[in-house]
Amino acid sequence: MIWESSFPVIGSQSSPRSADLNGDGVLDLVIGAGKNEYEYTEAGILAINGLDGEILWTQETEDQVFGSATFLDVTKDGTTDVFIGGRGPHLKALNGKTGDLIWEFDTLAHMNHPILQYARFNFNNSVTIPDQNKDGIAELLISNGGNARIGPGQTEGRFPGVLMVINPLNGEVLAADTMPDGAETYLSPLFVQQKAKDEQYILFGSGGETLSGNLYLAKLSELMNNDLSEAKVLVNENDHGFISSPVIVDLNDDEVLDYVGISHASTITAINGKSLEKIWQLQIPETECSNSFAVGQFTDDDIPDLFTFVSKGVWPENKGLVQVLIDGKTGQLIKQTELGCTGFSSPIAYDLNNNGKDEVIFSINEYDCSRAIDDQTAFLIENKLMLMDFKADTSYILDQTKSFKNVFSTPWIGDMDNDGYLDLVHCQYFSHGDILSFLGMKIKRIDLPIKVRKKPLWGALMGSDGNGIYQK
């Protein structure tokens, strides 16, 4: 253990991302945080010194910041700046050195706009896209949607999700349109350009836990024209939508990236990036999914594979987790285990033991899985950070803490201090009542005795680069 930092009262649904913010050569961490829903906090966004775990700066927010940071240097001071969103709606650009506000999305300024009037709910994770307004700086692609005040199965009060391109210099919305099907959105969109001169595309999705939705592919140029009506439906799902971010990876070794999405009904579909035809499809029965994938080399062929976990039962009364390993080439379910209860974080992957195959690291919570998610009576819970070695068919506990949980945060792995050895960062949240309450948290940096033989490709949420793309 290099350091362990504790933060009273607050918690997080965000996942840490890394950048050197203070110029000391050590990667620092940025994570969204907050008190319980709809509560103001002075510590809604945290920048943490990677060297010692001390706070570099905090930023106030009106509600929980569940998004993870995107980094761009728009102040041109040599230090990357921070763009992060969440509930409220909340989307802020912050000076990476100081945490000072550069701009924030102003909902009231857009209330009479035919499209942006609907962008008043949750901001999901953003990704960068090539410069669109010729100012030499990449833009942000981001989605907004989902009314948290509307209960499961209710349709009244739901509004169409919005996909938009934002100028990171000043927060100006350069282009926007609603979901083609008029549904809400919770999915973080992705950007892909297959080769240097190919068309630029965006991958996005609609629907929720109980409402139908689609996974779409559209040309970026169509969004820049404020018109997504020609977006192609890659996959659709009835009574469930697409919440987890998809991944982009070559599954047939044709040097063209393919698309893999998972619906909330745990239907996993691989789409050929060239023909847009289905490569394979797999459904995990009697489960639901709000988790994204870890992508890695888990089997004996050279085609990347997929690992995630799904929830047994029906939201919001999920009763246990099921971990699944899927052969990327065939879509075959290779391994299935049942460890832990409710959890919506995503796994990461790296070849830790140098056996030529990646292992996965993921977080589970052990408690009485039959209890209701909103039951606020005291209960025993233990959070465990797990490592699963597929080649040895063995699981290990990397860290465990009683009376703590982790429902949403994905771990991080990489070389923080450039010493040639891996570091592991993970988050835990104090718990004695219901699963979703924020009651204080701690973040740990663990120095692993494992040399960095290659840069981790999937060492964080949506991959080490945060863009959902796996490229060897």
Side-chain angles (χ1 to χ4, degrees):
M1 184 79 69
I2 299 298
W3 51 257
E4 177 181 304
S5 294
S6 297
F7 306 91
V9 181
I10 62 172
S12 179
Q13 296 179 357
S14 175
S15 297
R17 293 220 170 120
S18 60
D20 184 3
L21 301 179
N22 58 3
D24 65 354
V26 177
L27 293 174
D28 306 304
L29 302 168
V30 176
I31 188 169
K35 293 184 180 179
N36 291 312
E37 256 188 316
Y38 315 122
E39 293 183 4
Y40 166 86
T41 177
E42 294 180 351
I45 305 164
L46 309 175
I48 300 166
N49 192 327
L51 182 66
D52 56 17
E54 296 296 317
I55 286 288
L56 293 176
W57 49 257
T58 64
Q59 173 65 225
E60 63 180 359
T61 58
E62 296 296 328
D63 207 338
Q64 298 170 342
V65 179
F66 64 82
S68 295
T70 297
F71 299 112
L72 274 173
D73 182 9
V74 296
T75 54
K76 299 294 183 68
D77 61 358
T79 298
T80 188
D81 301 303
V82 176
F83 303 84
I84 191 167
R87 305 187 192 280
H90 162 91
L91 178 64
K92 288 186 177 182
L94 306 174
N95 183 295
K97 282 185 177 179
T98 65
D100 292 338
L101 182 68
I102 300 173
W103 56 260
E104 62 183 322
F105 186 83
D106 185 353
T107 307
L108 295 178
H110 303 294
M111 289 306 293
N112 294 321
H113 190 280
I115 300 299
L116 297 179
Q117 63 174 311
Y118 301 114
R120 59 181 189 266
F121 299 107
N122 305 314
F123 274 104
N124 301 303
N125 293 339
S126 64
V127 294
T128 59
I129 62 173
D131 179 18
Q132 299 296 304
N133 60 0
K134 311 302 182 186
D135 65 357
I137 297 177
E139 320 298 351
L140 299 175
L141 174 69
I142 196 166
S143 63
N144 180 287
N147 188 348
R149 298 181 185 274
I150 306 300
Q154 296 181 2
T155 56
E156 188 175 349
R158 297 191 183 273
F159 298 92
V162 180
L163 191 64
M164 62 185 83
V165 173
I166 292 180
N167 181 349
L169 279 173
N170 55 21
E172 177 191 3
V173 179
L174 301 179
D177 198 11
T178 53
M179 295 294 107
D181 57 3
E184 61 187 5
T185 187
Y186 296 93
L187 186 144
S188 299
L190 301 181
F191 167 83
V192 63
Q193 184 172 8
Q194 297 285 3
K195 295 180 181 178
K197 296 183 180 180
D198 283 358
E199 184 79 50
Q200 298 171 338
Y201 290 94
I202 50 177
L203 193 62
F204 61 100
S206 66
E209 290 97 340
T210 58
L211 297 178
S212 302
N214 299 286
L215 184 65
Y216 291 101
L217 184 73
K219 295 178 180 179
L220 176 59
S221 58
E222 294 171 338
L223 176 57
M224 295 308 299
N225 287 327
N226 305 297
D227 184 5
L228 291 173
S229 61
E230 297 300 315
K232 180 176 178 59
V233 175
L234 298 181
V235 196
N236 70 289
E237 189 77 67
N238 292 324
D239 300 321
H240 297 268
F242 290 81
I243 294 174
S244 305
S245 180
V247 294
I248 300 174
V249 53
D250 184 3
L251 294 182
N252 51 14
D253 204 25
D254 64 354
E255 299 185 353
V256 176
L257 293 168
D258 306 305
Y259 312 116
V260 185
I262 183 166
S263 73
H264 189 257
S266 298
T267 304
I268 306 168
T269 309
I271 301 293
N272 186 300
K274 184 183 294 184
S275 67
L276 301 187
E277 298 296 322
K278 192 182 301 178
I279 301 174
W280 51 256
Q281 189 173 69
L282 172 70
Q283 207 277 331
I284 314 299
E286 300 180 355
T287 68
E288 298 178 341
C289 187
S290 298
N291 312 62
S292 191
F293 299 100
V295 185
Q297 299 288 344
F298 304 135
T299 60
D300 291 331
D301 59 36
D302 292 330
I303 301 296
D305 308 296
L306 304 150
F307 175 86
T308 190
F309 39 100
V310 296
S311 301
K312 293 192 291 184
V314 178
W315 167 262
E317 299 300 330
N318 298 125
K319 305 296 183 185
L321 295 178
V322 181
Q323 292 77 32
V324 290
L325 172 64
I326 299 107
D327 187 304
K329 185 176 182 179
T330 65
Q332 179 184 357
L333 179 60
I334 299 174
K335 183 178 177 65
Q336 179 173 315
T337 58
E338 295 188 12
L339 299 172
C341 299
T342 299
F344 307 113
S345 62
S346 297
I348 58 175
Y350 191 78
D351 181 6
L352 294 158
N353 56 11
N354 198 27
N355 66 356
K357 301 299 173 188
D358 291 323
E359 291 78 47
V360 291
I361 297 173
F362 58 96
S363 180
I364 64 169
N365 303 301
E366 290 192 342
Y367 60 95
D368 177 7
C369 295
S370 65
R371 66 179 282 117
I373 198 169
D374 58 352
D375 183 347
Q376 297 191 18
T377 59
F379 71 109
L380 298 175
I381 189 170
E382 183 172 21
N383 177 250
K384 293 182 178 180
L385 189 66
M386 305 294 298
L387 182 146
M388 190 171 285
D389 182 339
F390 302 117
K391 194 168 185 177
D393 195 23
T394 305
S395 297
Y396 304 92
I397 299 174
L398 296 178
D399 191 31
Q400 61 192 118
T401 308
K402 292 183 177 180
S403 299
F404 279 79
K405 64 191 176 187
N406 174 24
V407 181
F408 296 98
S409 295
T410 295
W412 180 97
I413 195 169
D415 186 357
M416 292 191 72
D417 52 9
N418 201 31
D419 68 349
Y421 287 85
L422 287 171
D423 297 283
L424 177 64
V425 174
H426 78 112
C427 308
Q428 295 176 314
Y429 307 95
F430 180 65
S431 181
H432 68 77
D434 67 287
I435 295 297
L436 299 180
S437 290
F438 288 176
L439 300 166
M441 70 176 187
K442 57 185 177 182
I443 302 176
K444 299 178 180 180
R445 174 188 164 191
I446 301 170
D447 185 31
L448 299 178
I450 298 171
K451 288 187 177 181
V452 180
R453 291 173 294 277
K454 58 182 180 179
K455 177 189 174 183
L457 297 178
W458 216 267
L461 176 66
M462 296 170 63
S464 294
D465 293 328
N467 60 9
I469 299 176
Y470 180 94
Q471 284 184 304
K472 293 183 282 186

